[in-house]
Amino acid sequence: MKLLKSVTRCAAVAVAMLGVALHADARPLAAIQKAGKIVIATEGQYAPFNFFQGSKLAGFEVDVAEAMAAKMGLKVEWKALSFDALLTGLKQDRWDMVIASHGITEERSKAVTFTEPHYCSGGVIVAKDAAIRTAKDLAGKVVSVQTGTTYLENVKKVGAVKEVKNFPQDTDARAALASGRVDAWVTDRFVAMNSLKADPAAGLKMGDFLFIERIASAVAKGNTSLASELNKALAAIQADGTYATISKKYFNEDVRCK
Ligand code: ARG
């Protein structure tokens, strides 16, 4: 009986340790290659980078990630989640990679490992009033942004802003401006251009950059085997014209970092 108990206890400890081991290490490249499939998470509410076309994910980042995976000989299993869940899920090993227009920041770099950037852009000021164009025009104004973004961080740095309103989705931050609940919306330059074109009747005008940033995919902190293979794949699609074709399709220009 005593022996049985201690055997059971040993087994329990072993299982627990295995659990910890599995949890602490993100799937390294070899495991992903063995499965033949990489699990990638994105948001799906951020056109033209990641969005739903009916029930299917589409967008620049979806195409770029698919092309990178193809270079690596892998299939993609997509997951779509709210923006604020994406980087956290890497830590919990729920997916291998996130591609959702994350700007490379010092803070985020403490929690995840970024790949090389897949595009360069920045946050712009969008307003109905053509007089609201620059950071100093935001003085005394109410500004909408998506929660957890670099837009929030950077608008907060503009001291004289009256109020920053947070929305779980960037599309809601846009809607707040369109319906006149806020004076300005800060979002990505290409998202703004896309939205102005899609709905000219909303009367939104694009102002200046508030800041610029380098946008990259992320993998679990320290998963360097995967990050370096993704970097190789990105370099390869940038060299062979695939990236340029995808970029042209969505932006009519090449958005890679120069
Ligand atoms: N570029 C911004 C950031 O780094 C916004 C990203 C928003 N992405 C999205 N899929 N909604 O925080």
Side-chain angles (χ1 to χ4, degrees):
M1 189 61 198
K2 210 172 158 206
L3 181 70
L4 187 67
K5 251 193 189 158
S6 68
V7 167
T8 319
R9 196 176 308 130
C10 274
V13 169
V15 167
M17 276 167 59
L18 188 67
V20 168
L22 286 176
H23 234 78
D25 294 307
R27 282 210 305 169
L29 180 65
I32 294 169
Q33 282 168 334
K34 198 165 163 223
K37 188 185 79 181
I38 181 166
V39 184
I40 308 181
T42 190
E43 184 198 27
Q45 309 293 339
Y46 199 61
F49 293 105
N50 60 77
F51 58 97
F52 277 95
Q53 216 151 44
S55 62
K56 240 184 105 25
L57 277 170
F60 174 72
E61 291 182 306
V62 174
D63 288 4
V64 164
E66 293 272 0
M68 285 164 66
K71 278 276 177 229
M72 293 161 71
L74 300 171
K75 289 203 163 49
V76 179
E77 180 185 332
W78 284 101
K79 303 239 185 244
L81 293 110
S82 65
F83 182 70
D84 65 353
L86 295 170
L87 295 187
T88 332
L90 280 178
K91 221 178 310 179
Q92 302 159 342
D93 251 348
R94 291 167 63 202
W95 35 82
D96 302 309
M97 166 183 156
V98 167
I99 188 160
S101 288
H102 285 90
I104 301 175
T105 67
E106 224 178 282
E107 196 59 30
R108 286 172 178 164
S109 298
K110 288 180 195 156
V112 300
T113 294
F114 280 107
T115 64
E116 291 298 319
H118 58 281
Y119 74 94
C120 269
S121 186
V124 290
I125 297 161
V126 185
K128 285 189 176 181
D129 180 351
I132 305 177
R133 290 193 59 86
T134 67
K136 76 173 189 339
D137 302 331
L138 295 180
K141 299 292 189 279
V142 182
V143 184
S144 64
V145 291
Q146 182 181 21
T147 313
T149 59
T150 49
Y151 313 132
L152 172 60
E153 241 171 75
N154 283 278
V155 172
K156 274 190 186 156
K157 285 187 201 154
V158 184
V161 167
K162 182 172 169 202
E163 191 191 342
V164 191
K165 282 202 160 86
N166 276 276
F167 296 87
Q169 292 184 7
D170 192 57
T171 47
D172 299 325
R174 178 201 176 277
L177 174 63
S179 65
R181 282 173 287 150
V182 300
D183 303 304
W185 164 45
V186 173
T187 190
D188 181 82
R189 173 165 172 266
F190 294 108
V191 171
M193 289 191 332
N194 187 67
S195 150
L196 264 54
K197 207 169 95 192
D199 185 10
L204 307 187
K205 295 164 193 78
M206 194 169 92
D208 290 357
F209 272 122
L210 188 59
F211 67 99
I212 54 165
E213 61 181 353
R214 288 148 48 87
I215 307 285
S217 308
V219 299
K221 180 88 185 160
N223 193 354
T224 46
S225 63
L226 178 56
S228 67
E229 201 65 16
L230 288 168
N231 288 337
K232 276 189 218 153
L234 177 61
I237 64 164
Q238 290 190 326
D240 74 4
T242 309
Y243 177 99
T245 306
I246 300 170
S247 187
K248 215 156 180 221
K249 168 177 164 195
Y250 288 99
F251 309 108
N252 219 15
E253 65 180 283
D254 196 314
V255 298
R256 81 184 72 192
C257 298
K258 302 208 164 81

